[in-house]
Amino acid sequence: MTTEGQVDDLTPVLTKRWLSPQSWTLRTYEQLEGYTALRKALAANPDQLIQLCKDSGLRGRGGAGFPTGMKWGFIPQGDGKPHYLVINADEGEPGTCKDIPLMMADPHSLVEGIIITAYAIRSNFAAIYVRGEALHCIRRLHAAVREAYDAGYLGKNILGSGFDLDVVVHAGAGAYICGEETALLDSLEGKRGQPRLKPPFPATAGLYASPTVVNNVETIASVPYIVNGGSDWFRAMGREKSPGPKIYSLSGHVERPGQYEAPMGTTLRQLLELAGGMKDGIPLKFWTPGGSSTPLFTAEHLDVPLDFEGAAQAGSMLGTTALQIFNETVSVPWAVMKWTEFYKHESCGKCTPCREGTYWLVQILQRMVAGNGTPEDIDTLLDVCDNILGRSFCALGDGAVSPITSGIQYFKHEFLALCESNAAQAKAPALAGAH
Amino acid sequence: MWTLTQMKESPAGTGPEQDAVDTSVFGADIVEKARQIIARYPVPRSALLPMLHLVQSVQGHVSQSGIAFCAAQLDLTAAEVSAVATFYTMYKRKPCGEHLVSVCTNTLCAMLGGDAIYARLREHLGSDGKPLGHEETSGEPGTTGSITLEHAECLAACDLGPVLQVNYEFYDNQTPESALELVESLQAGQKPAPTRGAPLTGFREVSLQLAGFFDGREADLDGPSAAAETVRGAALAAERGWTAPAMPDHVDLPAAPDKK
């Protein structure tokens, strides 16, 4: 129980219904305060909801941490154009596994958040772009949307408010890049999912070149709670610049991997304690704070507060709070090679630094892991990374270099060790008699 | 093979290069479904991705006929549709098996055994001493027990790794042995239940669902979705009596800011 001013170690908000039987049904959702926030929201002026979201300090849960209320406020009003709300449910950042369980367990919280958000930004059409591989999640979302239509929460004149909203559940088709918001929009328009040059930003020219808000699942699912609880309640959890609860996903070499919803700013040390510590007691070697695109942390970073500021100040990023935990037995160059193979495969091919860079990075890392590398390869890797970081169309390129540069920063000796056997061979005297 | 001359002679989307492809495999019911997909969106072209899932549900892959069909429905050229179909990994360009087995070999799953699982399945499904390759099929495509194998990128179930999917239903916490047993059952025509997801069907059936058609499949919704890992935090909080701070009984929304 919470005493004055103190907050419990775990703060189930988004995950609070997950233990209920048939938690995904409208019946369960309505029994547990479902759609009460919607009634309150529809009785208000849409601008009050945008202000509430700003006051709450809610920041995007898809990785970048952009202030959500500010994003909503960027949508020009009275411009005569249709406005769109697009939910980024294309969860695919390696290590990330929070949105799919959320949508399977409690799809109505997302649907209610969508209706409130669409009302706030004056949008009459919203799309949920879900990763195609998440089939069971797509089923549950479809059913939830259908139930919401039948109950009068979607469609024409919602609950007599005069507000109309249609929602479509849209299955992707297997492309990590579509998690990038402008690639997602192109994909939703029926094209190859390749990022657009920004500006213009989606707030002015998004879906079908109209003003569009693109938000992550966890972000929008938070909205009904903020409407009901208010911004002070939301800010009672987390830290000043990164308030609220957050689903931390622990995976890898940990005794009890899983989803843990805790206040923003919780540390890995605290989370590991809740999760029973390192698997079989083998010490921690490295981890990602928020997916493979966020620079690696080591055992030195166990006490870094995991919020947007804390992770950034320690040289990484909060990302999607996908904590992939690796113990001492795992080779850093091998892990980095595997991630780089992933980025190379998922590079959309649009821009040269990323397309060519990831191709060559893989070649070099594979050669090194095979024992055929040289210390100069490390310089080449860093040089290629330097030509990708900040020089690509989108963040995929930046993400691709994160494991490499951070891996070399903290574990250069492991990369050098891979070159030793090769160096010994090179030093052997040349055979005489060759011609 | 299309020659340059043929392409020049054919007006985009309507010319002989599309007439030459037989789309009769897509009957009136599929045309009707295509129309329903288009109706979901403010702009017709948004229907293309679901429509490609739809044609895949008919043929088990996206063929030239499938491409021509989508192009005709959306008034696009075959080239425009091909460009999209070849971009996404879930659209298969060769006929697939009854089942699609996808093994996550991204770093975390690979470390926990995903690489070993993939290697074991490649070996088992291969022939003549040659392991089965990525997106290759063991058995006659479409027949009972035929399997297309692929290595997949992160499947967003990292707390349950190593994972694999059969027709996009989850089989969690796998080992090379359990994965082999699963695949042998599939080959024998059985359909072992997934850890999370609906009772197993086939690759074509789920492609229809990905196109957004779930008629008669309401029971699928009750297929399990939460593993022990999924609800670990929620269960621990319940056990220890931890909650989020209580919400106030009533809180007013802030005033709307004055219009500048």
Side-chain angles (χ1 to χ4, degrees):
Chain A
M1 287 294 124
T2 311
T3 54
E4 193 67 31
Q6 281 215 320
V7 173
D8 291 334
D9 292 0
L10 290 173
T11 49
V13 175
L14 299 163
T15 57
K16 72 173 183 177
R17 296 188 190 88
W18 290 15
L19 291 166
S20 296
Q22 292 206 302
S23 60
W24 55 89
T25 59
L26 179 64
R27 184 184 151 79
T28 305
Y29 189 66
E30 285 182 326
Q31 284 173 343
L32 299 170
E33 303 98 43
Y35 290 106
T36 54
L38 176 64
R39 290 169 202 278
K40 185 174 171 183
L42 290 177
N45 180 315
D47 287 338
Q48 289 182 274
L49 296 165
I50 297 178
Q51 189 59 45
L52 171 70
C53 192
K54 286 180 180 170
D55 292 349
S56 75
L58 175 66
R59 294 174 66 175
R61 269 42 173 158
F66 193 83
T68 306
M70 196 186 290
K71 194 182 252 191
W72 296 1
F74 285 156
I75 297 294
Q77 297 302 339
D79 56 345
K81 286 186 181 175
H83 299 167
Y84 297 111
L85 172 63
V86 176
I87 304 304
N88 186 343
D90 194 40
E91 183 164 66
E93 170 70 20
T96 310
C97 45
K98 62 183 180 71
D99 294 337
I100 286 171
L102 191 158
M103 291 184 284
M104 288 201 287
D106 197 3
H108 281 286
S109 65
L110 176 63
V111 174
E112 186 175 7
I114 288 172
I115 308 167
I116 296 169
T117 306
Y119 176 71
I121 65 164
R122 288 88 160 173
S123 162
N124 305 114
F125 178 80
I128 309 172
Y129 186 106
V130 201
R131 201 174 160 185
E133 295 93 335
L135 175 60
H136 204 45
C137 178
I138 293 168
R139 287 187 185 112
R140 293 266 174 91
L141 284 170
H142 260 280
V145 166
R146 203 173 52 236
E147 282 184 312
Y149 269 105
D150 291 346
Y153 297 129
L154 286 175
K156 298 278 177 213
N157 191 21
I158 294 169
L159 300 178
S161 65
F163 174 61
D164 304 338
L165 178 66
D166 284 311
V167 172
V168 66
V169 179
H170 184 93
Y176 167 71
I177 188 61
C178 292
E180 197 282 335
E181 63 177 4
T182 60
L184 185 152
L185 292 173
D186 261 28
S187 180
L188 184 54
E189 290 180 2
K191 299 169 188 159
R192 296 164 77 94
Q194 293 186 316
R196 302 173 180 175
L197 192 61
K198 294 189 272 195
F201 291 92
T204 48
L207 187 66
Y208 315 129
S210 282
T212 301
V213 163
V214 185
N215 272 146
N216 168 262
V217 171
E218 194 184 354
T219 314
I220 293 301
S222 302
V223 169
Y225 305 101
I226 295 171
V227 170
N228 271 339
S231 54
D232 289 343
W233 166 81
F234 190 71
R235 285 180 170 280
M237 292 166 277
R239 301 211 303 170
E240 195 197 336
K241 290 184 176 169
S242 299
K246 183 80 190 71
I247 303 176
Y248 292 90
S249 308
L250 271 72
S251 62
H253 287 140
V254 51
E255 278 293 339
R256 292 192 291 275
Q259 311 300 323
Y260 295 84
E261 189 178 9
M264 277 275 200
T266 301
T267 66
L268 179 61
R269 191 185 299 281
Q270 293 170 306
L271 290 165
L272 272 179
E273 212 162 276
L274 298 171
M278 291 295 293
K279 190 168 169 53
D280 302 326
I282 302 172
L284 171 69
K285 184 171 176 182
F286 63 101
W287 54 291
T288 66
S292 61
S293 300
T294 60
L296 299 176
F297 274 159
T298 68
E300 284 171 31
H301 301 98
L302 274 166
D303 296 311
V304 170
L306 294 174
D307 67 353
F308 292 106
E309 285 68 37
Q313 278 159 16
S316 187
M317 292 180 288
L318 187 67
T320 53
T321 54
L323 309 169
Q324 304 175 88
I325 318 254
F326 299 87
N327 71 21
E328 275 184 349
T329 66
V330 184
S331 153
V332 172
W334 172 84
V336 168
M337 175 194 76
K338 293 288 283 186
W339 277 318
T340 309
E341 288 173 348
F342 160 75
Y343 288 106
K344 181 226 163 205
H345 181 257
E346 298 298 335
S347 173
C348 78
K350 177 164 180 162
C351 74
T352 310
C354 177
R355 182 188 64 241
E356 302 297 318
T358 53
Y359 173 85
W360 288 108
L361 290 170
V362 165
Q363 308 278 318
I364 297 166
L365 284 162
Q366 287 176 340
R367 181 168 77 207
M368 295 189 84
V369 170
N372 299 319
T374 66
E376 291 74 41
D377 282 339
I378 297 173
D379 300 329
T380 311
L381 283 173
L382 292 174
D383 188 41
V384 176
C385 287
D386 189 45
N387 279 305
I388 297 174
L389 183 68
R391 292 175 163 85
S392 308
F393 249 85
C394 79
L396 190 148
D398 298 345
V401 308
S402 285
I404 301 174
T405 51
S406 60
I408 293 174
Q409 178 187 349
Y410 296 117
F411 300 97
K412 190 172 182 180
H413 56 281
E414 285 196 34
F415 289 83
L416 285 169
L418 284 173
C419 308
E420 273 168 21
S421 60
N422 196 32
Q425 272 182 348
K427 272 187 206 141
L431 291 178
H435 55 87
Chain B
M1 277 299 211
W2 302 112
T3 65
L4 193 59
T5 328
Q6 276 174 309
M7 288 174 71
K8 276 180 181 166
E9 282 169 356
S10 321
T14 55
E17 90 273 27
Q18 294 198 2
D19 293 342
V21 179
D22 180 11
T23 57
S24 61
V25 64
F26 305 107
D29 58 328
I30 299 300
V31 174
E32 169 57 21
K33 285 192 166 68
R35 199 194 56 75
Q36 289 175 20
I37 295 173
I38 293 170
R40 293 176 197 154
Y41 300 94
V43 173
R45 184 164 174 167
S46 283
L48 182 52
L49 265 66
M51 206 180 289
L52 285 163
H53 287 302
L54 177 69
V55 297
Q56 187 150 267
S57 79
V58 176
Q59 293 191 301
H61 72 301
V62 176
S63 68
Q64 284 305 113
S65 317
I67 286 170
F69 175 82
C70 293
Q73 299 302 315
L74 293 168
D75 201 19
L76 298 169
T77 65
E80 285 170 317
V81 176
S82 279
V84 173
T86 53
F87 184 83
Y88 297 93
T89 55
M90 287 174 72
Y91 302 130
K92 304 303 182 191
R93 308 310 308 283
K94 289 185 294 184
C96 284
E98 179 189 18
H99 302 296
L100 173 68
V101 174
S102 318
V103 182
C104 177
T105 58
N106 201 292
T107 312
L108 191 112
C109 271
M111 164 190 89
L112 296 172
D115 275 352
I117 290 169
Y118 185 59
R120 181 72 66 89
L121 296 185
R122 286 190 67 190
E123 191 187 336
H124 171 72
L125 293 170
S127 54
D128 304 328
K130 192 167 162 273
L132 195 70
H134 174 64
E135 287 193 340
E136 286 180 1
T137 300
S138 162
E140 183 62 32
T143 60
T144 302
S146 56
I147 290 175
T148 301
L149 181 68
E150 66 177 1
H151 59 79
E153 295 304 352
C154 184
L155 292 170
C158 314
D159 49 340
L160 299 152
V163 294
L164 64 80
Q165 290 184 323
V166 180
N167 310 330
Y168 307 115
E169 315 287 359
F170 276 110
Y171 294 77
D172 301 326
N173 291 316
Q174 291 292 297
T175 62
E177 293 71 34
S178 66
L180 181 62
E181 198 178 314
L182 169 64
V183 162
E184 283 174 342
S185 301
L186 296 174
Q187 287 181 298
Q190 295 158 3
K191 292 181 174 169
T195 326
R196 290 175 301 136
L200 204 60
T201 53
F203 178 63
R204 294 186 193 202
E205 286 88 336
V206 299
S207 295
L208 186 63
Q209 296 176 39
L210 289 168
F213 297 97
F214 297 92
D215 294 345
R217 304 215 62 90
E218 286 71 22
D220 286 353
L221 290 169
D222 292 331
S225 57
E229 289 83 346
T230 317
V231 294
R232 237 164 204 159
L236 183 64
E239 183 190 308
R240 300 203 180 166
W242 289 340
T243 60
M247 285 186 186
D249 286 339
H250 178 79
V251 53
D252 288 323
L253 294 171
D258 292 332
K259 289 284 176 206
K260 292 194 183 83

